[in-house]
Amino acid sequence: MKKQLKNIVLLILIIFLLFPIVKLTANSVDNEFYISHIQSDKYPLTEVFFSLSNSKLSGLLNDKQLRLEEDGKTIQKFELHPPRVSRKPTSTVLVIDRSLSMKDSLSKAKESVSFYINQLTNFDQLSIISFSDKVEFLIKDKNNNPTFTSNYSLANKSVNSLNASGDTVLYDALYEGITLSNTSKLKDKAVIVLTDADPMVEMSKRNENDCIKLSQQFNIPVYCIGLGEGINAPPLINIAKKTGGEYFYAPTASQLKELYSKLSKIITKEDQFHIIGTVFTIQNSNHLLYDDFIPEAKKGISTYISKKANNDPISIIGMNNKEVNFSIDKSFLQNTLSSLPIVSNENIFDSLYTSIQLSKNLPASRRSIILLVCNSSQKDQSNRSKRSCINEAIKYNIPIYIIARGGSELEKKFVNIAKNTGGEYFAIHDSNLIPVVLNSLLDSFNQEYRITYDSLVKPTFFSSFISLPHRLKLSTNIDGETLTANKSFRLFFPNQKSPILLLLILLSFLCLIIFGIILIAVGVSKRKKVEVVKCPNCGSLLKPLDVSCPVCGYKTVKVSEGEETILTDDTVPIQQEEEKTVIVGRKKSLAWICIIDGENKGKVFDLKDDEPTSIGRNTSNDIVINDESVTEVHCKIFKNNNSYFIRDIASLNGTFLNNKRIENEELHDGDFIKIGETKFIFIQIRDECLWR
């Protein structure tokens, strides 16, 4: 038994180690053909990102192998862009002038060269040569021989160590740079030379033609940067032109960074591929100081930054809910990451909403948010809700990828956010896996194909108010096998103006309907059902039109209020005499109230003319109501001139006139008074000719 239990525990442990990451995704990434993302905020331009992992496919897909349909209609014209991983790695030799004439410009020059270095990816290669009156190789192997490196930290350190001194041997340095470039095993090679000297007076053993011939022999382009007003440009222009490179002129050192940025895009051919914009939102709360989550999250983001393409913008924000400008500068991003402050608040959804607002402005085709959250130990304090984040992300087609500790209190919300925005949710059990997940995400982004086309969907009147889902279908045929991918998306038509006139008409019509419903509701509430009342004397049932009890002859008075018939306990029949109503058999009183609901139903109370009539639970009142919800002296009815008024005497549960709580109001014939559970009707006779 113990042995079996041991085996079970061992099996569970193995499973746990083999599956440390639980991934819940909106995309069927396990499929070999799927649409990962659709970007449509540049309507009518629509961008479709999809992946294909098929062993039968040799080389890259072409547009003839694809069929694209939007809402069942075939898209006849679209453009297919290859994955970013199809970009070939490059080998670059940087040749830098550090002669004495560069003394004032060298600082800016080193900064610009470092910028170029930081734009390279880890599969690119780099070597650096500096020169003054002699040539110096800055990157060497263990045997002290010139070599290439992908260790860009080392490369930057070498550049920063340069000092200005000596004369100029430009052509010797350039010749050595071309020779070194040829030793690289990579196919795509380039040499970039920076100088401020006049090549006509420099001291090289080699000359302009030597450099051109060697470059043409090895088929290596040379890009020349001339710095300052004293530069003799024609030889540099000639070298660049005849070697397949390009010449750039910088009047001052402050322009060098921009030129190196252009060179980076030219050499790496980044302009041919889509740009990926990423906003990292990290939970940097102080209760995680002794957790390994924050260090591992920063490690993963740092690797992501180092591997990103040159022109990919990135932004990093924490739980301080402050917007941080995005940048393509890897050094700036690494510094931002390392200096991310620890905060005390915990407002995950507020920070996520801020990330969405920032992400929608990223100059990129593929925009996404990556939220890194540990298992929170305190309640989230966000003002924004999960739903507001989802709605905003859907509006701008921004997928949200969430990496969180499994078992978080907010796990269900995270899964819902990822699913509805087209992202993925990763539940991890070990913080060491964060860099692995981030690396896999970047790889998946880089492996995506991109299709661009003009949407066939046309805006309508209703599209100004609501965005309906549209269906995209992508299919391909590879060696007789048909693969299909489907995905829905929404169009919000950002440039469409709302039809103001039609909108006003619609709102007016809606207001009329609401007003009519209110009138009908008020009319129905005032209509009362005809009640069947018992005789106060013998208890026999009376018909609504009875003026006396058919059993004992007890007479009644009929008082009409709308469709309601009330029978009192006095003998006052109503007779019609021409157009006058004559009340017979009642003592002369100008006003009275009658109980129509509650204890002593049907009882009539005359109201005093000279003093107030008090109502309450105490037996000293003129009208006593035996009800615990009624105050000792609840209210009083008094006469002023020819009108009667009712006044609440600070009662606990209030006095109600026609279903409204009042303090002091005038009474009118037919008004309903409610005190506790007892309901009265007020009757007032103003014409004394009615009496006889």
Side-chain angles (χ1 to χ4, degrees):
M1 183 68 182
K2 290 183 178 179
K3 187 177 181 179
Q4 291 179 346
L5 183 61
K6 185 178 179 181
N7 291 334
I8 293 172
V9 172
L10 183 62
L11 180 62
I12 294 173
L13 182 62
I14 293 172
I15 294 173
F16 181 78
L17 293 174
L18 289 176
F19 301 96
I21 306 174
V22 179
K23 178 168 67 173
L24 301 174
T25 174
N27 305 318
S28 301
V29 296
D30 294 330
N31 296 336
E32 55 187 359
F33 186 55
Y34 64 94
I35 299 173
S36 55
H37 180 58
I38 299 174
Q39 195 71 37
S40 59
D41 61 330
K42 300 175 183 177
Y43 175 87
L45 178 66
T46 306
E47 297 173 283
V48 183
F49 297 86
F50 71 95
S51 295
L52 174 64
S53 54
N54 193 309
S55 58
K56 296 181 180 180
L57 180 66
S58 59
L60 297 174
L61 274 175
N62 59 68
D63 54 359
K64 295 180 180 180
Q65 295 174 286
L66 295 171
R67 177 183 174 87
L68 184 64
E69 297 176 56
E70 185 185 66
D71 292 338
K73 299 180 181 178
T74 301
I75 305 296
Q76 300 294 342
K77 187 178 180 182
F78 62 85
E79 187 175 354
L80 177 65
H81 307 267
R84 292 184 8 154
V85 291
S86 64
R87 176 177 92 77
K88 298 177 181 179
T90 61
S91 171
T92 309
V93 177
L94 297 175
V95 182
I96 306 169
D97 187 350
R98 66 170 188 89
S99 61
L100 190 60
S101 60
M102 287 285 293
K103 183 178 181 180
D104 296 333
S105 305
L106 190 58
S107 177
K108 286 287 185 181
K110 292 193 291 186
E111 181 183 331
S112 303
V113 171
S114 293
F115 175 80
Y116 178 89
I117 295 172
N118 291 331
Q119 302 310 301
L120 299 174
T121 60
N122 58 353
F123 52 82
D124 294 316
Q125 290 184 350
L126 176 75
S127 193
I128 305 172
I129 296 175
S130 69
F131 67 92
S132 54
D133 49 11
K134 64 178 181 179
V135 179
E136 183 180 3
F137 297 94
L138 302 186
I139 306 298
K140 298 180 180 180
D141 59 18
K142 295 179 179 180
N143 298 322
N144 209 31
N145 296 318
T147 188
F148 292 85
T149 185
S150 296
N151 185 347
Y152 303 128
S153 176
L154 174 65
N156 280 312
K157 187 177 180 180
S158 301
V159 171
N160 291 329
S161 66
L162 295 176
N163 294 306
S165 65
D167 296 319
T168 304
V169 287
L170 169 64
Y171 295 128
D172 287 351
L174 182 55
Y175 194 92
E176 293 291 344
I178 298 170
T179 303
L180 178 60
S181 180
N182 187 53
T183 64
S184 174
K185 295 180 180 181
L186 297 181
K187 186 176 180 181
D188 290 348
K189 306 179 179 69
V191 176
I192 303 175
V193 57
L194 167 66
T195 184
D196 71 338
D198 185 347
M200 300 298 293
V201 296
E202 59 98 56
M203 303 173 62
S204 296
K205 296 178 182 180
R206 302 286 183 179
N207 57 41
E208 175 186 341
N209 289 328
D210 291 337
C211 295
I212 293 174
K213 288 180 181 180
L214 187 66
S215 175
Q216 291 175 340
Q217 179 184 345
F218 295 146
N219 193 27
I220 298 173
V222 178
Y223 297 87
C224 301
I225 302 176
L227 174 63
E229 296 179 357
I231 192 73
N232 183 20
L236 299 175
I237 295 173
N238 189 44
I239 292 173
K241 182 179 180 180
K242 289 185 178 181
T243 61
E246 192 173 347
Y247 173 76
F248 298 90
Y249 171 62
T252 64
S254 58
Q255 278 87 41
L256 288 175
K257 187 175 181 179
E258 181 181 354
L259 294 181
Y260 273 102
S261 178
K262 288 182 180 179
L263 279 167
S264 175
K265 294 179 180 179
I266 292 172
I267 293 173
T268 62
K269 301 179 177 62
E270 287 291 347
D271 287 339
Q272 298 180 11
F273 304 93
H274 63 271
I275 299 174
I276 298 174
T278 311
V279 177
F280 287 98
T281 307
I282 181 173
Q283 184 184 6
N284 55 330
S285 306
N286 56 9
H287 72 273
L288 300 175
L289 283 175
Y290 303 102
D291 194 292
D292 61 350
F293 173 81
I294 295 179
E296 290 297 328
K298 286 186 175 182
K299 180 182 177 181
I301 297 173
S302 178
T303 304
Y304 189 104
I305 292 171
S306 65
K307 292 182 63 177
K308 82 174 186 69
N310 299 344
N311 51 352
D312 285 348
I314 288 178
S315 181
I316 306 165
I317 69 171
M319 295 292 102
N320 54 6
N321 197 28
K322 293 182 179 179
E323 288 195 19
V324 179
N325 291 330
F326 50 82
S327 176
I328 64 172
D329 190 333
K330 294 182 180 181
S331 296
F332 173 81
L333 292 170
Q334 296 286 9
N335 292 333
T336 301
L337 179 64
S338 61
S339 61
L340 191 69
I342 301 297
V343 296
S344 59
N345 55 326
E346 191 100 325
N347 50 358
I348 295 172
F349 296 114
D350 283 351
S351 300
L352 184 56
Y353 191 89
T354 301
S355 301
I356 297 170
Q357 301 305 311
L358 184 61
S359 181
K360 71 183 184 183
N361 296 318
L362 289 175
S365 298
R366 189 44 152 117
R367 301 179 307 207
S368 56
I369 294 172
I370 300 177
L371 174 64
L372 297 109
V373 186
C374 188
N375 189 1
S376 178
S377 64
Q378 60 188 51
K379 189 176 181 181
D380 188 75
Q381 302 171 3
S382 298
N383 294 317
R384 300 286 182 178
S385 65
K386 173 201 71 174
R387 178 49 53 185
S388 64
C389 293
I390 291 175
N391 291 341
E392 198 71 4
I394 291 176
K395 184 176 181 180
Y396 297 101
N397 301 116
I398 301 172
I400 300 175
Y401 301 85
I402 302 177
I403 306 171
R405 286 268 180 87
S408 169
E409 295 177 359
L410 302 174
E411 187 167 54
K412 290 184 178 179
K413 292 186 177 182
F414 292 155
V415 172
N416 193 251
I417 290 173
K419 181 180 179 181
N420 283 280
T421 62
E424 299 177 25
Y425 173 71
F426 300 87
I428 62 171
H429 302 284
D430 187 351
S431 298
N432 293 325
L433 294 170
I434 295 176
V436 178
V437 176
L438 289 176
N439 186 67
S440 70
L441 276 176
L442 182 59
D443 287 344
S444 66
F445 296 158
N446 287 329
Q447 292 169 9
E448 291 175 338
Y449 285 85
R450 180 171 66 113
I451 290 177
T452 55
Y453 74 99
D454 286 340
S455 175
L456 301 177
V457 180
K458 302 298 181 184
T460 63
F461 168 75
F462 295 101
S463 61
S464 301
F465 312 102
I466 187 172
S467 175
L468 298 176
H470 302 279
R471 197 71 180 173
L472 202 70
K473 180 180 178 181
L474 184 65
S475 56
T476 183
N477 190 290
I478 301 175
D479 294 337
E481 182 182 2
T482 301
L483 302 174
T484 303
N486 295 275
K487 194 175 182 66
S488 61
F489 67 102
R490 294 178 181 269
L491 290 173
F492 284 86
F493 306 104
N495 299 322
Q496 184 185 7
K497 296 181 179 179
S498 299
I500 303 298
L501 181 60
L502 291 177
L503 180 61
L504 291 176
I505 295 174
L506 183 62
L507 290 176
S508 301
F509 183 70
L510 185 62
C511 290
L512 287 174
I513 293 175
I514 294 173
F515 184 69
I517 293 173
I518 293 173
L519 289 179
I520 293 172
V522 171
V524 170
S525 65
K526 288 186 175 181
R527 295 180 62 184
K528 307 296 179 181
K529 294 181 179 180
V530 177
E531 296 184 17
V532 178
V533 183
K534 292 182 180 180
C535 174
N537 187 43
C538 67
S540 302
L541 294 177
L542 302 176
K543 296 179 181 179
L545 300 179
D546 287 343
V547 296
S548 62
C549 179
V551 179
C552 65
Y554 190 87
K555 295 182 179 180
T556 61
V557 63
K558 179 182 175 185
V559 182
S560 297
E561 169 64 24
E563 295 183 3
E564 182 170 0
T565 299
I566 297 123
L567 303 175
T568 74
D569 64 347
D570 270 343
T571 58
V572 188
I574 297 177
Q575 300 178 359
Q576 296 293 330
E577 213 177 82
E578 297 178 354
E579 296 182 357
K580 296 280 186 177
T581 301
V582 181
I583 302 177
V584 183
R586 183 171 180 87
K587 65 181 182 178
K588 187 175 181 180
S589 178
L590 295 180
W592 65 90
I593 58 175
C594 176
I595 299 177
I596 61 172
D597 193 10
E599 191 177 355
N600 296 320
K601 183 177 181 180
K603 192 171 182 178
V604 177
F605 301 92
D606 292 319
L607 301 178
K608 299 176 182 180
D609 294 339
D610 52 348
E611 60 180 307
T613 302
S614 63
I615 306 173
R617 194 172 75 248
N618 196 293
T619 55
S620 62
N621 289 285
D622 298 307
I623 301 175
V624 180
I625 302 176
N626 187 19
D627 186 346
E628 291 296 329
S629 64
V630 178
T631 308
E632 292 289 327
V633 181
H634 199 98
C635 65
K636 291 184 179 181
I637 300 176
F638 60 93
K639 184 180 180 184
N640 186 6
N641 294 327
N642 292 324
S643 298
Y644 285 83
F645 295 82
I646 184 169
R647 178 181 297 162
D648 184 79
I649 313 299
S651 66
L652 182 62
N653 295 314
T655 303
F656 294 84
L657 180 65
N658 298 323
N659 297 324
K660 294 183 180 179
R661 186 165 181 168
I662 55 94
E663 292 181 1
N664 190 19
E665 289 290 336
E666 183 181 357
L667 292 170
H668 300 88
D669 186 39
D671 281 349
F672 295 95
I673 304 168
K674 190 172 185 297
I675 302 170
E677 299 299 325
T678 304
K679 188 175 182 182
F680 300 84
I681 186 172
F682 171 75
I683 302 170
Q684 184 179 8
I685 304 298
R686 294 182 179 272
D687 193 349
E688 296 213 13
C689 71
L690 297 176
W691 299 95
R692 70 178 186 192

